[in-house]
Amino acid sequence: MSLSLQRPSEVEPPKRQAILDAATELFTAHGYGAVSMDAIARAANVSKATLYAHFRSKDELFATIIREACQSNLAAREFLPQEDGDVRAALTRLAGRMLRFLLEDRSLAIHRVVIAESVRFPELGRAFFESGPLMFSAAFGAWLTEQTEAGRLSVADPAQAADQFAGMLKCGCYTRAALGVSPAPSEAEIDHTVSGAVETFLKAYAATASQD
Amino acid sequence: MSLSLQRPSEVEPPKRQAILDAATELFTAHGYGAVSMDAIARAANVSKATLYAHFRSKDELFATIIREACQSNLAAREFLPQEDGDVRAALTRLAGRMLRFLLEDRSLAIHRVVIAESVRFPELGRAFFESGPLMFSAAFGAWLTEQTEAGRLSVADPAQAADQFAGMLKCGCYTRAALGVSPAPSEAEIDHTVSGAVETFLKAYAATASQD
DNA sequence: GTCTATAGAAGGATAGAC
DNA sequence: GTCTATCCTTCTATAGAC
């Protein structure tokens, strides 16, 4: 369940998969330091020796899991809608899907653990950044360039505009959720954040805006 | 040094202060799990027994430090400038000070450790949220309301607008820095982020904007 | 309050049988 | 590859002398 890599069972030995699943669950839920190799072995129904037969160390197991989670989880989503005609509708759908994705327990957990361990595992911070924020910035920035060329928007710095849009989405309820502050964001709150970000973005980057 | 509480030495025993300083340094640099009570005692030049004479447990020591750091560090700053006349200048100064504060090693370290341990110590996530994002949102939102009443801006939802402004500041180089991705943000990059956020904010919330 | 010394538990990692 | 059993280190926390 959860973050398992969907490989055919011939290629991925079942025990190894069980280890990955159990470790993913535990690491994302409790962080690196709070999870012992004993606990992982217990949760995966294998012995510790089997665990060490597949992964040389706790560090390697952790890095493997987080790296895979970054790639498979973030890259697989399609965040760019096709409705090129209606910019507002396109932005709203994009923002709604993205904020709801970011607020999923799994996304929050990965974000937390990567932030926490980015000092000890710098390559994980980089992997997360490239497969997450950077990939979004590039893809959404390219879309903004297209819209600008088509005369539907007026964006001079697409990468910055993309970052700003993402930032406005993550500002309110996401920050609260990332810090574990209750209550969890309601659907109404999410929609409010989305529409607010879209309206602000459109006012600032509308093609029909008055030229200064 | 660093986050020491500036109390008179009569009230705060010197050994206790040494413990707090050493523990603050270590916890913020390496996180909760990676720091042992031995290491803290060594760094503070006290024995472990002395350490436990002042703090009942590692949890209590950690919680005390992070709680104090949130309050003293964030609340002490004045983020609202006085130049009410020139909104652009006021926003630029506010944004510059805030982003540079967030990018300080100390701020990043506290943010990291609070995010990481907010699951195990929910009260710390709340303390950080209230003394950081929430306090900013309230203070800056109030200022936006004043500016709107004075006819210099047109902000219908001050809390949301404040969050959006903060979000646009944290979008680009801050996200990278929080994940430990090199290179560290340059001054030019910071200024670019600041001016971009200010311009986008002003276009969206200018009092002279065309009414829809 | 402060120290030295240590108890008692849990952690990461491995040896050797199968 | 997989298991049981174990080694050695490190950890939190405390006992007892001063």
Side-chain angles (χ1 to χ4, degrees):
Chain A
M1 197 184 277
S2 74
L3 286 175
S4 58
L5 320 175
Q6 306 295 355
R7 299 274 190 72
S9 53
E10 311 160 340
V11 186
E12 196 73 49
K15 295 266 180 183
R16 184 187 166 93
Q17 189 60 57
I19 292 169
L20 284 172
D21 288 348
T24 301
E25 182 77 17
L26 290 171
F27 277 139
T28 54
H30 305 109
Y32 177 85
V35 173
S36 70
M37 294 296 259
D38 278 281
I40 295 171
R42 232 181 353 256
N45 277 317
V46 296
S47 71
K48 259 200 296 186
T50 302
L51 208 162
Y52 278 96
H54 287 281
F55 302 94
R56 241 171 309 182
S57 68
K58 184 182 175 184
D59 282 17
E60 185 184 292
L61 175 57
F62 178 72
T64 300
I65 281 173
I66 301 300
R67 214 179 302 120
E68 295 278 359
C70 289
Q71 291 170 3
S72 70
N73 216 1
L74 296 173
R77 307 260 174 161
E78 297 177 359
F79 280 124
L80 293 185
Q82 308 295 343
E83 321 92 316
D84 280 345
D86 188 345
V87 175
R88 174 176 273 106
L91 287 176
T92 302
R93 261 190 49 184
L94 163 66
R97 284 201 283 187
M98 177 156 143
L99 183 52
R100 283 181 173 81
F101 165 67
L102 292 173
L103 285 171
E104 287 173 16
D105 286 345
R106 198 179 305 173
S107 307
L108 284 172
I110 293 173
H111 190 192
R112 249 186 229 120
V113 76
V114 170
I115 289 259
E117 303 301 333
S118 63
V119 178
R120 210 203 306 223
F121 301 89
E123 84 274 14
L124 294 187
R126 178 171 288 277
F128 183 90
F129 177 71
E130 289 175 352
S131 65
L134 191 59
M135 178 162 293
F136 172 79
S137 180
F140 186 51
W143 186 81
L144 291 176
T145 300
E146 290 174 21
Q147 300 303 310
T148 297
E149 288 169 353
R152 287 187 282 266
L153 284 176
S154 173
V155 177
D157 188 337
Q160 182 176 73
D163 282 343
Q164 288 177 342
F165 191 63
M168 286 194 284
L169 286 177
K170 295 203 278 184
C171 58
C173 48
Y174 180 76
T175 297
R176 213 183 61 213
L179 290 168
V181 176
S182 57
S186 66
E187 285 297 307
E189 205 174 351
I190 295 173
D191 287 335
H192 184 240
T193 302
V194 166
S195 64
V198 170
E199 293 310 314
T200 298
F201 189 85
L202 282 178
K203 277 186 192 159
Y205 291 111
T208 59
S210 59
Q211 308 284 81
D212 295 2
Chain B
M1 199 184 277
S2 73
L3 287 175
S4 59
L5 319 175
Q6 305 295 355
R7 298 275 192 71
S9 53
E10 310 161 341
V11 187
E12 197 71 53
K15 295 267 180 183
R16 184 187 166 93
Q17 189 60 57
I19 293 169
L20 284 172
D21 288 348
T24 301
E25 183 78 17
L26 290 171
F27 277 139
T28 54
H30 305 110
Y32 177 86
V35 174
S36 69
M37 294 296 257
D38 277 281
I40 296 171
R42 226 174 6 248
N45 276 317
V46 296
S47 70
K48 262 196 297 185
T50 303
L51 208 162
Y52 279 96
H54 287 279
F55 301 94
R56 243 170 306 181
S57 67
K58 185 182 176 183
D59 281 18
E60 185 184 294
L61 175 56
F62 178 73
T64 300
I65 282 174
I66 301 300
R67 213 180 301 122
E68 294 278 359
C70 288
Q71 291 170 3
S72 69
N73 216 2
L74 296 174
R77 308 260 173 161
E78 296 178 1
F79 280 125
L80 293 185
Q82 308 295 342
E83 320 93 316
D84 280 344
D86 188 344
V87 175
R88 173 175 274 104
L91 287 177
T92 303
R93 261 190 50 184
L94 163 66
R97 284 201 282 188
M98 178 158 143
L99 183 52
R100 283 182 173 81
F101 164 68
L102 292 174
L103 285 172
E104 286 173 17
D105 286 345
R106 197 179 307 171
S107 307
L108 284 172
I110 293 174
H111 189 191
R112 249 185 228 120
V113 76
V114 170
I115 289 258
E117 303 301 334
S118 63
V119 178
R120 209 201 310 219
F121 301 90
E123 84 276 14
L124 294 186
R126 177 170 289 277
F128 182 90
F129 178 71
E130 288 175 353
S131 64
L134 190 60
M135 178 162 293
F136 172 80
S137 180
F140 186 51
W143 186 80
L144 290 176
T145 300
E146 290 173 21
Q147 300 303 309
T148 296
E149 287 168 353
R152 286 188 283 266
L153 284 176
S154 174
V155 177
D157 187 337
Q160 182 175 71
D163 282 344
Q164 288 176 342
F165 191 62
M168 287 193 283
L169 286 177
K170 294 203 278 183
C171 59
C173 48
Y174 179 77
T175 298
R176 214 183 61 213
L179 290 168
V181 177
S182 58
S186 67
E187 284 297 307
E189 205 174 351
I190 295 173
D191 287 334
H192 183 241
T193 302
V194 165
S195 64
V198 170
E199 293 310 314
T200 298
F201 189 85
L202 284 178
K203 277 186 193 160
Y205 292 111
T208 59
S210 59
Q211 307 286 81
D212 294 2

